[in-house]
Amino acid sequence: MDNVLEFIKSNNMIKPGEIVGVACSGGRDSMCLLHYLNSIKADNDFEVVAVNIDHGIRPNSALDTEFVMDYCKKNNIRAYKFKGEALKVAKEEGLTVEQAARKVRYGVFETLVNKGLVDKIALAHHLNDQAETVILNILRGAGIHGARGMEPVRNGIYIRPLLNTPREEIMAYLDENNLEYVEDETNQDTTYSRNYIRNIIMPAFRKHFKSVDKNIVNFASLCAKDDDFITSQVNMDGVLTGKDIIRIPLSYFYQNESIVVRMLMKVFSKFVKQDIESKHIKMVQQFALEARNGNVISLPNKLKVMKEYDYIAIGKIKKKDVSSNYPFRSGKLRIEGYGTIRSTSSKVLTEPKPHQHIVDSDRIPTTAEWRFRRDGDVFSPLGLNGTKKLNDYFIDKKVPKRLRDTIPVLAVDNNILIVADIEIADEIKVTDDTIHFYKINYEKDLI
């Protein structure tokens, strides 16, 4: 444990004045971390609080929480305790118990940080955990990114002060300080993937390979350096980021595969923290190169991948209300899920600005209304002799399928006068005889 403080400082884990929440289950690793950080807090000007989450998975979990609370009370350590619903979440969301517990756990951590109750969350992963994680990731099919294992600091919030400390030193520290801890009986259950690695695979490795844990961790460190370099070569300039959807130019998928993989990992990180595996990355790569326009595939966490002409769109599609009608009038009109439309009367003709239409206001019937497309809608775009189906027009303009029902149109019955922020009908264009104008401006939400 002599090098832990140096490891903390070299990775800039804790700043003076910060509140560090220690994720403490009552097990040996988390009790070691809680005791250690509490022992150095005064000299290093930070505060320590314990965070305990009872997932209710084991019969003795409530007793473990009680153990942690008693220890904190005796040692004057502020503590937060939470009751999780891992089994319920697993059932409702189709997750494994491990995945559900992790989701609940990190939900608690994020809440504490967002409320300003803690600045950092300290996790008790150590060197042997790192070795197990690397092996587990490789067996799950991870590439070099997965082989780098856990980070000492993640997202500037989650810190792992013991990540460079072997289990033997932790055990010695517990003995030296007469620290008690609780045993999680599920640690011996090898139906859990990590327990199988910990209790079956790693002991077999250690019988034949000296210093196997350190060697695996060194390998992870080399992978991290290579991964960082390759990632630095990824150009995201052409990637369009919206609120719920990210669009990637199709041409980006013809780059070197290592670059494409990391580009996709960056995109997926905007939506999910886990559950996207190498098989999903390969699926998206193949989809981008081979799928037809309009095709859609589904990924974990309700993510959709859509081929939209010259783009691959990735994100979560939210259903929007497209049943509303809005009478055309001067002023500001807010359409939820689209944005704002401002219609202003004018007698002065100017050149249209970006995201603006200028129309002959005398040619817009009083019955015109903003709404969304319907079956039977037809449109006569500016400069076109004759009409075409609105859906055919959307196809010609390469409007993605997912957006066609969410773009407002100004209509009289099934006759479309304006497709918002795209085009006006020929019949309402400004002519030499026009006296009154409407300047219509569009301020769209991120989509």
Side-chain angles (χ1 to χ4, degrees):
M1 297 288 289
D2 294 339
N3 297 323
V4 175
L5 182 57
E6 179 183 342
F7 187 69
I8 290 172
K9 291 181 176 179
S10 64
N11 286 281
N12 194 29
M13 291 186 182
I14 305 172
K15 298 176 182 177
E18 287 189 324
I19 302 172
V20 179
V22 180
C24 187
S25 65
R28 60 189 178 190
D29 303 331
S30 61
M31 291 302 296
C32 171
L33 180 60
L34 180 61
H35 182 277
Y36 179 79
L37 291 180
N38 195 52
S39 71
I40 66 168
K41 66 180 182 181
D43 291 339
N44 293 277
D45 189 25
F46 64 86
E47 185 179 348
V48 169
V49 299
V51 181
N52 176 269
I53 304 168
D54 175 8
H55 290 293
I57 299 172
R58 301 178 293 108
N60 295 328
S61 59
L63 296 176
D64 295 350
T65 294
E66 186 178 337
F67 169 81
V68 173
M69 293 299 108
D70 286 345
Y71 175 85
C72 291
K73 184 176 181 179
K74 292 175 183 177
N75 290 274
N76 198 30
I77 299 173
R78 187 153 52 94
Y80 298 110
K81 66 176 180 177
F82 299 89
K83 181 73 174 179
E85 296 283 352
L87 295 176
K88 181 180 178 182
V89 171
K91 183 178 180 180
E92 291 178 348
E93 302 188 19
L95 304 174
T96 66
V97 175
E98 289 177 286
Q99 291 171 334
R102 188 182 192 279
K103 182 173 184 177
V104 171
R105 193 160 55 246
Y106 277 86
V108 169
F109 296 156
E110 289 176 9
T111 298
L112 288 171
V113 173
N114 292 337
K115 289 186 175 182
L117 298 175
V118 301
D119 299 296
K120 299 287 174 62
I121 295 291
L123 306 170
H125 300 116
H126 50 71
L127 184 142
N128 302 78
D129 291 329
Q130 178 75 309
E132 293 164 6
T133 297
V134 173
I135 295 298
L136 185 60
N137 288 348
I138 291 173
L139 293 177
R140 284 175 170 168
I144 189 173
H145 184 78
R148 67 186 291 158
M150 296 177 283
E151 303 291 338
V153 179
R154 181 167 66 84
N155 297 338
I157 295 172
Y158 300 101
I159 62 175
R160 296 183 171 94
L162 302 180
L163 197 57
N164 206 35
T165 303
R167 182 179 291 119
E168 293 80 7
E169 289 189 22
I170 291 174
M171 296 303 296
Y173 183 87
L174 293 171
D175 290 340
E176 180 182 345
N177 291 278
N178 296 314
L179 293 178
E180 295 181 352
Y181 55 89
V182 295
E183 290 282 2
D184 183 344
E185 61 271 22
T186 63
N187 284 341
Q188 304 305 314
D189 184 355
T190 54
T191 60
Y192 293 104
S193 300
R194 180 172 289 278
N195 288 346
Y196 183 80
I197 299 292
R198 176 175 297 160
N199 299 321
I200 305 297
I201 301 297
M202 294 306 295
F205 278 172
R206 294 184 188 109
K207 287 182 180 179
H208 296 278
F209 302 100
K210 186 179 180 180
S211 303
V212 62
D213 294 88
K214 289 184 179 180
N215 290 341
I216 292 173
V217 171
N218 288 338
F219 165 74
S221 178
L222 294 173
C223 287
K225 293 176 181 177
D226 290 349
D227 187 42
D228 286 341
F229 172 75
I230 299 172
T231 300
S232 71
Q233 306 304 302
V234 177
N235 178 13
M236 302 289 284
D237 290 347
V239 176
L240 307 177
T241 302
K243 182 179 179 182
D244 301 310
I245 298 287
I246 294 178
R247 296 198 297 154
I248 308 170
L250 201 57
S251 60
Y252 277 37
F253 288 87
Y254 292 92
Q255 300 178 89
N256 180 277
E257 184 175 359
S258 295
I259 299 295
V260 175
V261 168
R262 282 158 180 80
M263 173 189 68
L264 287 173
M265 289 168 60
K266 280 190 173 184
V267 170
F268 284 125
S269 70
K270 303 290 185 181
F271 299 106
V272 295
K273 302 291 191 298
Q274 58 176 355
D275 298 336
I276 298 299
E277 302 174 10
S278 59
K279 65 180 180 181
H280 301 124
I281 297 291
K282 291 179 181 178
M283 185 189 304
V284 175
Q285 288 179 270
Q286 184 177 4
F287 177 82
L289 299 177
E290 299 178 6
R292 297 176 60 183
N293 177 58
N295 285 3
V296 180
I297 57 175
S298 299
L299 296 180
N301 286 282
K302 299 181 180 179
L303 281 178
K304 300 290 184 182
V305 181
M306 298 148 281
K307 192 161 192 178
E308 299 180 345
Y309 299 101
D310 298 325
Y311 288 86
I312 292 295
I314 299 175
K316 298 187 177 183
I317 301 177
K318 295 183 178 180
K319 291 185 178 180
K320 298 175 181 178
D321 179 13
V322 294
S323 62
S324 300
N325 297 352
Y326 309 89
F328 182 80
R329 63 179 187 274
S330 295
K332 174 182 175 182
L333 172 63
R334 172 68 187 172
I335 300 179
E336 198 64 36
Y338 175 79
T340 301
I341 300 176
R342 298 176 186 270
S343 303
T344 306
S345 298
S346 177
K347 292 184 179 181
V348 179
L349 180 63
T350 58
E351 285 296 318
K353 299 177 181 178
H355 307 291
Q356 182 186 71
H357 286 141
I358 299 180
V359 301
D360 187 327
S361 59
D362 293 327
R363 297 189 178 193
I364 297 180
T366 57
T367 55
E369 61 182 7
W370 289 106
R371 61 169 173 81
F372 299 96
R373 71 167 179 163
R374 297 173 184 167
D375 292 340
D377 282 347
V378 293
F379 185 46
S380 300
L382 184 65
L384 178 71
N385 291 322
T387 63
K388 60 171 56 182
K389 292 180 180 179
L390 181 61
N391 191 57
D392 291 341
Y393 171 77
F394 279 141
I395 292 172
D396 292 344
K397 299 296 287 187
K398 294 185 175 182
V399 176
K401 278 186 177 181
R402 65 181 170 85
L403 297 180
R404 294 173 194 172
D405 286 330
T406 64
I407 297 174
V409 294
L410 185 66
V412 177
D413 296 325
N414 283 116
N415 184 41
I416 304 303
L417 302 177
I418 300 176
V419 179
D421 202 26
I422 299 180
E423 197 154 8
I424 65 171
D426 196 73
E427 63 192 273
I428 62 171
K429 68 183 179 183
V430 173
T431 68
D432 292 340
D433 297 326
T434 300
I435 299 174
H436 303 106
F437 311 96
Y438 267 126
K439 295 182 179 180
I440 305 174
N441 295 281
Y442 307 95
E443 300 168 13
K444 291 189 289 186
D445 296 335
L446 287 175
I447 55 175

